């Protein structure tokens, strides 16, 4: 196993979005854009990966076709939802690669708390690490203050009528009543084309006033994603071996009237339905973490917290554990993917039910993960996410929003919840 040399340079603060805007034309641009809040101290910008994998999962079932050491620092990856659901659903026509991986020798880390930027260079020797750090530092000089563009989407059309979603929810409620499952997350999809000359980064700029803890932009070749996710799937600290997950279940829309907005948040916090929905997924995630954690180490740290975002309030819980000796990021992902909050309970049966009502999801509700310089992994749940594919005619996008369906779900209310969840992306794409 060959160790890689790391060199770092600390530099004054620059806006990560402006820096990302300056490197958007380079090969493989990446921006992990945090809101700088309690869960989002760090943002990262990178480009020009030296190794890339786009394709199916390896035949041996592993997650690391880039070689050894597995998931080393500087690796960014995306696992599509359908790759994890296949064990339950069987083969389905793919709409997105199972796995995307890229290794970035040069990267910028933005510390929102201390307001400094670290240029990171990695290489096989001191000279190549220094050159990579210098290249990352040069991106700071190329920063370009972004200008929010006109609406980048030429269209934004639902792939099925609202009534089809209402019927799907009603079917799932009947299946729950029959004892087939307890909960399933059912989604709607919208798609369209970007106007000539527009590209996915323009959608990032349209979301700039609605930053989330796990915002992201990533383009590899003719594929790109834009994510405004508030949801953590996993973090892993190799020093303490702590694993943490923060499932979201329970939503209310924001309201411009402060009194009404506060009332909606209070209603969510007191809702027996939403608390029960959240608790089901907490139990599911406890079981998932227990597969890879030391016996007895999995605990619920916080239950039913209200988090408020620009367009919605969410009910969030935190579950943690201590990873077994020898377990690394790939093992953690294999034990827990796909995230329980976007499948349901029991997970295997929920994924079967989802497949009966939805075409393949692609990256939506998969996970985007990053291995940081100290080996720490952060993996988000790719909700509030649009995927993009480029052809000779330009960029085409697809975006989804879902809701957790339980025994007392009302189909029309769940439909309204999906509208609230897609709102920020719709407005970033269309301007309305």
């Amino acid at each position: 196993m060959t160790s890689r040399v790391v060199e770092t340079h600390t530099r004054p603060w620059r806006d990560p979005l402006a820096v990302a805007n300056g490197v958007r034309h380079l090969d493989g641009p990446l921006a992990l854009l945090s809101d700088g809040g309690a869960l989002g101290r760090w943002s990262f910008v990178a480009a020009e990966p030296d190794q890339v994998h786009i394709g199916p999962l390896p035949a041996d079932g592993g997650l690391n076709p880039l070689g050894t050491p597995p998931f080393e620092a500087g690796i960014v990856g995306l696992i599509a939802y359908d790759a994890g659901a296949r064990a339950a659903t069987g083969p389905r026509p793919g709409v997105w690669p199972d796995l995307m991986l890229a290794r970035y020798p040069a990267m910028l880390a933005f510390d929102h708390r201390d307001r400094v930027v670290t240029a990171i260079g990695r290489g096989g020797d001191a000279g190549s690490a220094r050159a990579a750090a210098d290249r990352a530092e040069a991106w700071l000089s190329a920063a370009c203050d972004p200008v929010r563009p006109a609406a980048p989407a030429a269209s934004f059309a639902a792939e099925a009528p609202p009534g089809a979603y209402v019927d799907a929810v009603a079917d799932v409620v009947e299946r729950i009543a029959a004892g087939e499952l307890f909960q399933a997350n059912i989604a709607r999809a919208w798609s369209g084309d970007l106007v000539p000359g527009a590209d996915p980064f323009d959608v990032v700029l349209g979301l700039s006033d609605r930053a989330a803890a796990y915002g992201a932009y990533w383009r590899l070749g003719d594929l790109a994603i834009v994510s405004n996710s508030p949801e953590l799937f996993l973090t892993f600290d190799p020093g303490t071996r702590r694993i943490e997950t923060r499932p979201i279940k329970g939503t209310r829309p924001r309201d411009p009237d402060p009194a009404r907005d506060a009332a909606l948040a209070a209603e969510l916090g007191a809702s027996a339905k939403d608390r029960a929905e959240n608790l089901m997924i907490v139990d599911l995630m406890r079981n998932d973490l227990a597969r890879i954690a030391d016996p007895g180490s999995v605990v619920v740290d916080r239950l039913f917290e209200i988090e408020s975002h620009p367009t919605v309030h969410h009910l969030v819980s935190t579950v943690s554990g201590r990873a077994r000796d020898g377990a690394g990021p790939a093992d953690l992902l294999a034990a827990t993917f796909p995230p329980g909050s976007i499948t349901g309970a029991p997970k295997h049966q929920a994924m079967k039910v989802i497949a009966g009502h939805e075409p393949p999801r692609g990256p939506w509700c998969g996970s985007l993960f990053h291995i940081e310089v100290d080996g720490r992994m952060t993996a988000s749940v790719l909700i509030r996410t649009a995927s993009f594919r480029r052809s000779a005619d330009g960029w085409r996008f697809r975006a989804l929003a879902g809701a957790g369906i339980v025994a007392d779900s009302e189909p029309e209310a769940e439909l309204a919840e999906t509208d609230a969840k897609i709102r920020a992306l719709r407005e970033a794409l269309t301007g309305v």
Side-chain angles (χ1 to χ4, degrees), residues 23 27 49 63 75 81 107 118 126 153 158 180 206 214 217-219 232 241-242 246 269 336 343 364 367 378 424 430:
V23 304
D27 180 52
L63 294 174
I75 291 281
Y81 168 84
M107 183 172 284
T118 302
E180 185 176 333
Y214 306 104
Y217 165 74
W218 196 21
R219 175 172 58 78
L232 173 70
R241 310 215 44 86
R242 176 181 169 87
R246 302 184 76 254
T336 57
T343 51
W364 185 77
S367 182
T378 301
T430 67

Side-chain angles (χ1 to χ4, degrees), residues 290-310:
R291 294 179 185 154
I292 200 67
D294 285 339
S297 71
V298 177
V299 297
V300 178
D301 299 276
R302 291 179 292 279
L303 196 61
F304 307 147
E305 291 188 316
I306 298 292
E307 281 187 5
S308 297
H309 302 277

Side-chain angles (χ1 to χ4, degrees), residues 46-233:
E48 302 173 328
D50 66 348
Q51 292 192 47
V52 171
H53 168 87
I54 300 176
L57 290 173
D60 64 2
L63 294 174
N64 189 47
L66 293 185
T68 57
F71 287 177
E72 63 185 286
I75 291 281
V76 174
L78 188 158
I79 311 175
Y81 168 84
D82 307 295
R86 197 168 293 128
T89 65
R92 304 182 77 200
V95 296
W96 194 266
D98 286 353
L99 183 65
M100 298 169 62
L101 291 173
R103 187 177 72 174
Y104 287 90
M107 183 172 284
L108 293 167
F110 298 78
D111 185 341
H112 289 262
R113 187 189 70 185
D114 293 345
R115 308 292 283 181
V116 296
V117 184
T118 302
I120 303 167
R122 306 178 183 89
D125 54 50
S128 58
R130 186 178 309 111
D134 290 344
R135 181 155 48 97
E137 189 174 339
W139 297 336
L140 294 171
S141 300
C144 179
D145 289 337
V147 176
R148 184 166 181 159
S155 57
F156 187 88
E159 294 184 354
Y165 186 79
V166 169
D167 291 344
V169 172
D171 175 71
V172 174
V173 170
E174 289 181 5
R175 290 170 180 267
I176 293 170
E180 185 176 333
L181 73 167
F182 301 109
Q183 180 178 165
N185 192 83
I186 303 298
R188 303 168 64 197
W190 295 260
S191 56
D193 299 299
L194 298 189
V195 300
D199 69 47
F201 195 82
D202 294 327
V203 183
V204 177
L205 299 180
L207 290 164
S208 59
D209 60 346
R210 294 175 173 179
Y214 306 104
Y217 165 74
W218 196 21
R219 175 172 58 78
L220 287 178
D222 293 328
L223 300 174
I225 64 157
V226 172
S227 183
N228 201 41
S229 175
E231 185 168 3
L232 173 70
F233 178 31

Side-chain angles (χ1 to χ4, degrees), residues 34 59-60 104 254-256 258 260 296 318 323 342 359 374 387 397 404:
S34 160
D60 64 2
Y104 287 90
R254 299 296 305 267
D255 193 282
R260 175 60 181 155
T318 303
I342 49 71
D374 60 357
S387 58
F397 71 87

